[in-house]
Amino acid sequence: MELNDLLEEVKTLAVETGRFLRTERKSFRRDKVEKKAAHDYVSYVDKTSEQLIVKRLRELLPEAGFVTEEGSAFFSGEEYCWLVDPLDGTTNFIHDNAPYCVSIALRKGNKMQLGVVYECCREELYWATKDSPAYLNGQEIHVSDLSVLDQAFIELGFPYDAERFRPFINGIIASLYGHVGGLRLLGSAAAELCYLAAGRFEARIEGLLGPWDIAAGSLILQRAGGRVSDFNGGDTYHSGHEVLASNGKLHDELLKIIRLHLQKK
Ligand code: 2AM
Ligand code: CA
């Protein structure tokens, strides 16, 4: 199947799955939540959403492997690989907060081919392919061109593994708080990368994520003119372990600040 045909199918799938999430949210009860690790939760909703997505993607591209958050399918070196987060922003979903998303990306070898994120709460469909612009509900989007740190609106993420991340993020907050236009924490890496792509933020810093959290959003951001790297400016960000995302203009300045606190991570 051609990449553009696949893209159309994945867009439809992301919206359908997002509608399922919103419907489930209406009757969702907190006692349905299970604990994966400390403060890391999952429910039948994440798992059902993943099963729906994996079933459809298998029909679309039978030869592809999978890297998924809830582990219902596996990657064993196939040329094509789907990276799926069936519900990014699970903790928001559980508490009936926005945003939460469906995130689907396709990688061929080492190169991301397409990324689709459906932000369920605002009904926003973001997508890009390896050589297209980035789009939000059919409109081309671009990162902001703000280049002054003092005015920058910056997103932070707090991963579930607080003990490992706390010293680093404390340092980052100490450096940025009061020296930037605003700091926020929305709780969905996929949504935040897309908001950055749409010019709503200037940068985002988080680590200790999974590849499924950032695969689609990173491609969408890059195709909107932004930059994504690990905390040394390299491309190991794909693992999700270290992710600095920005409009490009503030990237080097933020890397310098991150380096001051890296040894504390
Ligand atoms: P989730 O909602 O799909 O679990 C919140 O900081 C953001 O980081 C969310 O996108 C959340 O994804 C993700 N996240 C936090 N800790 C994570 C972990 N240990 N593994 C995977 N994703 C994580
Ligand atoms: Ca998830």
Side-chain angles (χ1 to χ4, degrees), residues 105-225:
L106 178 66
R107 194 179 68 199
K108 181 184 182 191
N110 287 327
K111 194 162 166 54
M112 221 49 86
Q113 304 293 300
L114 65 82
V116 174
V117 172
Y118 183 63
E119 203 274 73
C120 306
C121 305
R122 295 170 77 151
E123 300 187 61
E124 291 185 334
L125 183 66
Y126 294 86
W127 74 89
T129 68
K130 61 182 172 38
D131 35 33
S132 79
Y135 294 93
L136 159 54
N137 289 347
Q139 301 285 324
E140 207 174 306
I141 50 171
H142 300 276
V143 291
S144 85
D145 59 8
L146 193 126
S147 58
V148 185
L149 192 60
D150 185 57
Q151 292 169 22
F153 202 30
I154 297 188
E155 248 294 326
L156 301 177
F158 288 180
Y160 303 124
D161 192 346
E163 289 316 309
R164 278 167 74 200
F165 208 62
R166 182 179 288 116
F168 172 71
I169 201 69
N170 280 348
I172 294 292
I173 293 168
S175 289
L176 298 182
Y177 179 44
H179 303 287
V180 296
L183 287 177
R184 291 293 183 273
L185 203 151
L186 298 186
S188 162
E192 292 157 26
L193 290 167
C194 291
Y195 291 176
L196 187 44
R200 298 176 186 165
F201 286 99
E202 272 69 49
R204 177 175 203 281
I205 303 169
E206 191 170 11
L208 308 183
L209 298 174
W212 48 80
D213 291 309
I214 56 146
S218 298
L219 180 66
I220 291 163
L221 174 60
Q222 287 162 335
R223 299 310 302 167

Side-chain angles (χ1 to χ4, degrees), residues 68-87:
T68 66
E69 173 149 34
E70 309 310 335
S72 65
F74 298 99
F75 176 64
S76 49
E78 291 85 355
E79 185 187 22
Y80 285 95
C81 179
W82 294 106
L83 297 106
V84 177
D85 193 339
L87 170 46

